[in-house]
Amino acid sequence: MSAVRTPVLAGNWKLFKTGSEGAEFVAALGRRLGRIQGVDVVVAPSFTALYQVAQVAVEHGIGVASQDVYWEEQGAFTGEVAPRMIKDTGAGWVIIGHSERRQFFGETNDGVARKVRAVLHAKLRPILCVGELEEQRVAGETEQVLKTQVEAGLSMVEATNMSSLALAYEPVWAIGTGRTATPQQAQEACAFIRELVVEKLGTNAAATVRILYGGSVKPDNAAELMSQDDIDGGLVGGASLEVESFAGIIEQSRATRT
Ligand code: 13P
């Protein structure tokens, strides 16, 4: 992990935790961690829990993310949530293009690009997710998949936006499976993603952007993953649902920054 980039440890709660459960969680996490320094800690509850969780999170220096967004500011789009509505809850971040959205809800690279642009326009911070399926890795297509997803996701982004954006490399085969990518595999993919940012937006943008790894991150593998040069934090699913395991991951990651 680079000493110049503040790591981000984000917990993606997926379809778990109500507002009151989430608020209780961040209060307990805040007590457990004390004053958080040198790391951005973020939790991503469901839309309906954002406001309630953000109210408590702010007291503990914990950031809040939504798990998705729509790209329009307003209009006849039943069921959708606009960036300014997310901002109004007190959340500061937005996860975009998670593989579960891509796989189960028809998220496309074009939609991801529009969402990234809309979120930046609203002065929120996107966490743009990319990652290959197992069959794509086996077929040797990992780099091509990452290239397509990263180039599309960043197609409407300026170099100056990159300090407020994070990328998350989440190999789909490692999500919720307990099969973590090896630190070498994760580092290789994150370094490749950083190279893509160099090509598209230049070296300064690439040196600034935080690139996270996600996929079965646990307290006992966090330190090794987070100590890789091009890994600047983690996007954590299952292990972010318990205070002890999420706090353990945060502490392990912080310990690698010496
Ligand atoms: P797991 O940590 O449960 O594998 O989930 C990763 C993830 O999808 C985070 O967005």
Side-chain angles (χ1 to χ4, degrees):
M1 178 146 45
S2 149
V4 294
R5 293 183 291 268
T6 305
V8 183
L9 273 303
N12 176 7
W13 289 349
K14 307 189 180 185
L15 192 54
F16 295 94
K17 293 194 194 298
T18 61
S20 38
E21 289 163 353
E24 216 169 277
F25 181 99
V26 286
L29 182 67
R31 283 195 300 272
R32 167 74 172 71
L33 292 173
R35 225 175 134 235
I36 302 165
Q37 277 181 321
V39 55
D40 290 335
V41 176
V42 178
V43 293
S46 307
F47 286 128
T48 52
L50 288 172
Y51 177 76
Q52 210 171 337
V53 171
Q55 293 271 304
V56 181
V58 69
E59 292 170 22
H60 298 281
I62 296 170
V64 176
S66 67
Q67 299 174 14
D68 192 18
V69 67
Y70 192 52
W71 58 78
E72 294 288 349
E73 280 186 32
Q74 58 183 8
F77 302 105
T78 303
E80 293 299 329
V81 181
R84 65 189 188 89
M85 295 169 180
I86 290 166
K87 197 167 186 181
D88 190 54
T89 67
W93 300 74
V94 180
I95 296 173
I96 300 173
H98 191 279
S99 65
E100 286 148 20
R101 303 287 332 156
R102 294 179 191 260
Q103 278 185 291
F104 308 138
F105 301 100
E107 182 88 278
T108 63
N109 280 325
D110 178 58
V112 167
R114 289 166 188 247
K115 290 177 180 184
V116 170
R117 180 174 61 176
V119 161
L120 287 168
H121 184 72
K123 304 258 182 299
L124 291 163
R125 296 164 164 256
I127 301 174
L128 166 58
C129 302
V130 298
E132 80 286 0
L133 302 168
E134 172 146 49
E135 55 266 36
Q136 293 169 325
R137 176 162 280 265
V138 171
E141 294 166 4
T142 299
E143 293 197 346
Q144 192 47 52
V145 171
L146 295 178
K147 188 169 156 60
T148 304
Q149 292 179 345
V150 170
E151 286 182 354
L154 298 181
S155 60
M156 299 188 229
V157 170
E158 314 273 329
T160 51
N161 296 136
M162 294 306 273
S163 56
S164 40
L165 182 146
L167 282 150
Y169 169 60
E170 297 205 309
V172 179
W173 47 271
I175 295 178
T177 58
R179 279 179 60 204
T180 321
T182 65
Q184 292 69 28
Q185 286 172 323
Q187 160 59 23
E188 233 173 68
C190 291
F192 177 73
I193 291 169
R194 202 176 299 282
E195 260 321 296
L196 294 171
V197 178
V198 171
E199 282 164 30
K200 169 133 187 54
L201 295 163
T203 46
N204 284 352
T208 321
V209 70
R210 270 94 55 93
I211 304 181
L212 321 183
Y213 166 77
S216 299
V217 177
K218 308 282 180 236
D220 62 2
N221 60 27
E224 208 184 349
L225 286 162
M226 301 309 151
S227 62
Q228 304 300 312
D229 283 351
D230 288 290
I231 302 182
D232 308 312
L235 185 53
V236 185
S240 74
L241 295 172
E242 299 293 334
V243 171
E244 238 354 269
S245 53
F246 194 37
I249 290 169
I250 295 163
E251 282 173 347
Q252 290 297 319
S253 308
R254 222 171 8 178
T256 65
R257 287 177 61 81
T258 45

